[in-house]
Amino acid sequence: MKNNTLAMLFSENAPFSKGGSEGIERGILSGKRVAETTNPPLSPFFKGGSPLARQSLTTECRSPATALFSALSCAVFFAAFAVSGGSGVALANPNIPPPPQSKPLLITGATLHTISGDVISNGRMLVDKGRIVAIGAASAVPDTANATVLSLAGKHVYPGFIAANTTLGLVEVQSVRATVDSAEVGTFNPNSRALVAVNADSELIPVTRANGVLAALAAPRPGAASLIAGTSAVIQLDGWNWEDMGVAAEVGLHISLPSMRTNLSSSVFAPPTAVTGSARDEMERLTNQRLRALEDVFEAAGAYHRTRDAEPATPIDMRWEAMRPVFLNAGAADKQRPVFVYADELPQIRYALAFAERFNLKLVVIGGQDAWRIASLLAERKVPVIIGSVHRLPLRRDDDVDAPFKLAATLHAAGVRFAIARGGSTFDAAMERSLPYEAGTAAAYGLPRAEALKAITLYPAQILGVADKLGSLEVGKLANFFVSDGDPLDIRTNVERIYIGGRELPLEDKQTRLNKKYEQKYQQLDAKRAGSTK
């Protein structure tokens, strides 16, 4: 493995190592420090590097000689830490969550887009106690006593869209540190839970849901210095607090990989400059160091997991305990928690595949700009991809100019499971309402329209493990849907009503309030001018 290079990761048969971690297990059981594992590292001489990591690295030291942290052969510390949220928050939005649904709601006359099945013209849908209890043609769903009947002739009903890669609820104003709670300080934070940090009063939530986005994956965002950010949660975009909003409290563990590119440029428009000599060597060293630290953490967490299974009395460590669900238990594959890896570059995706196979992880790739280059391999290994924005520039200067637009169509044709999301940065949180237009662009560049709708409804629900609750209009699922006057992938379409848990929510938000305010201003100015001319 000492000759593992960047070129190998580009090859079809990129190598990786397998094996156990007996040395680490013995260290945990005996309480003694084990400096090196019996398992060779994945990338002892990996070609590539991150200039940001190079700028932020300040020191290198050995991990403490404690029983549970003995697995780290070298802990990497960075000066540039991820932003940690403070206690201050922005002013709460004035929208009041309505009470639980108290009486049945019967929708009639609308075109029902079930997503998982056929489109039902002039259909009926009965909603009670926050769930869909009947749906079908007019003749299949009879009238119900005491139900509120809502006639929607000529309108369209869709399940709520799901934003599968967001910091929504974790960020309010990106430039105000006290309102940013998307990352914890430190390199490894597997026990960090995004759900408990969600701000239910965020002004961004009403703005987002007003365009049909009714659920989101609130994900901790790895910073420049972090490798493991914590666990994400699926939330519905209404509730008094994070407890009301939570649909799935802990969805998956989020980790980031350092960049493995050796061509740098000052901007996307500048020609890339190859890094050579000592600068390249330093980039390689820092990349190797970060990857080795990540491998050591998973070695230690796996050893802790097996030790806890064998000896339940083993002292509990919250960081390792939080990672136990990502490891496969015999007969419990359906309960294994996925690991979400942020990877855009081809070497990063190949490394993620090798990493997941070595530790027997359930992998989900987020970003995936280069996923089309190995689509057949992703399909073969059944690794889903959450596309991190369609509306972006190509990754490389020599890529097709429309490469981001047709990525979804390419993955679909190759049989790769995928969902369409936005970039997921702290800046993107304010613009999650644009999610349907990302899918609309993918549909314009070869993705069938039905698949484009599934890519922001049913497919993310399946990937995130909440398809029994969200993603389609089916009996038994949560009554989270919206009413529009046309195709929601078309920017000209208006969302006219939104429902979460069978409760109708107001479409008012900060933007509509500002619009009404300044309408009044100009009406007053017009009246003033008219009066002065008399």
Side-chain angles (χ1 to χ4, degrees), residues 8-68:
M8 290 182 179
L9 286 181
F10 276 93
S11 68
E12 188 63 28
N13 298 309
F16 55 90
S17 61
K18 284 184 167 182
S21 52
E22 295 83 357
I24 297 178
E25 284 192 52
R26 287 196 299 270
I28 289 179
L29 290 172
S30 65
K32 297 179 180 178
R33 186 181 186 282
V34 180
E36 297 294 335
T37 73
T38 59
N39 195 39
L42 284 178
S43 51
F45 194 72
F46 194 86
K47 299 293 184 180
S50 167
L52 188 55
R54 175 165 56 85
Q55 293 168 7
S56 61
L57 183 68
T58 59
T59 185
E60 176 181 348
C61 67
R62 289 288 181 182
S63 57
T66 59
L68 297 180

Side-chain angles (χ1 to χ4, degrees), residues 107-179:
I107 292 175
T108 67
T111 300
L112 306 178
H113 299 261
T114 64
I115 304 299
S116 59
D118 296 332
V119 176
I120 305 172
S121 299
N122 191 26
R124 283 187 163 204
M125 184 169 68
L126 181 62
V127 173
D128 192 18
K129 296 180 181 178
R131 293 187 179 268
I132 300 171
V133 297
I135 184 170
S139 59
V141 182
D143 292 339
T144 300
N146 301 322
T148 300
V149 179
L150 181 61
S151 179
L152 296 175
K155 305 301 181 181
H156 299 261
V157 177
Y158 292 87
F161 298 142
I162 302 172
N165 179 34
T166 78
T167 53
L168 197 63
L170 304 177
V171 174
E172 191 68 14
V173 182
Q174 187 186 22
S175 59
V176 180
R177 179 171 183 157
T179 70

Side-chain angles (χ1 to χ4, degrees), residues 16 58 73 107 168 171 215 389 406 428 438 449 504 510:
F16 55 90
T58 59
S73 62
I107 292 175
L168 197 63
V171 174
S389 184
K406 60 187 182 183
D428 286 313
E438 304 261 355
R449 182 183 174 280
E504 184 171 11
K510 183 176 183 178

Side-chain angles (χ1 to χ4, degrees), residues 473-496:
L473 301 179
E474 295 182 71
V475 173
K477 291 194 175 183
L478 295 176
N480 294 6
F481 59 92
F482 65 89
V483 180
S484 70
D485 59 4
D487 181 1
L489 304 188
D490 187 332
I491 198 171
R492 297 169 295 182
T493 294
N494 297 304
V495 172
E496 298 182 348

Side-chain angles (χ1 to χ4, degrees), residues 327-343:
F327 295 103
L328 180 64
N329 284 311
D334 58 326
K335 297 181 180 179
Q336 185 179 16
R337 185 174 296 170
V339 174
F340 294 83
V341 178
Y342 295 89

Side-chain angles (χ1 to χ4, degrees), residues 388-405:
S389 184
V390 172
H391 296 159
R392 58 171 174 79
L393 291 172
L395 184 62
R396 296 176 179 80
R397 287 170 57 85
D398 58 352
D399 283 347
D400 292 343
V401 68
D402 59 356
F405 305 154

Side-chain angles (χ1 to χ4, degrees), residues 195-238:
L195 180 60
V196 298
V198 170
N199 173 22
D201 291 324
S202 170
E203 284 279 13
L204 305 182
I205 288 176
V207 172
T208 301
R209 72 187 181 205
N211 207 30
V213 182
L214 305 185
L217 181 74
R221 189 71 183 180
S226 62
L227 289 171
I228 300 180
T231 56
S232 55
V234 173
I235 58 173
Q236 58 185 13
L237 301 190
D238 175 66

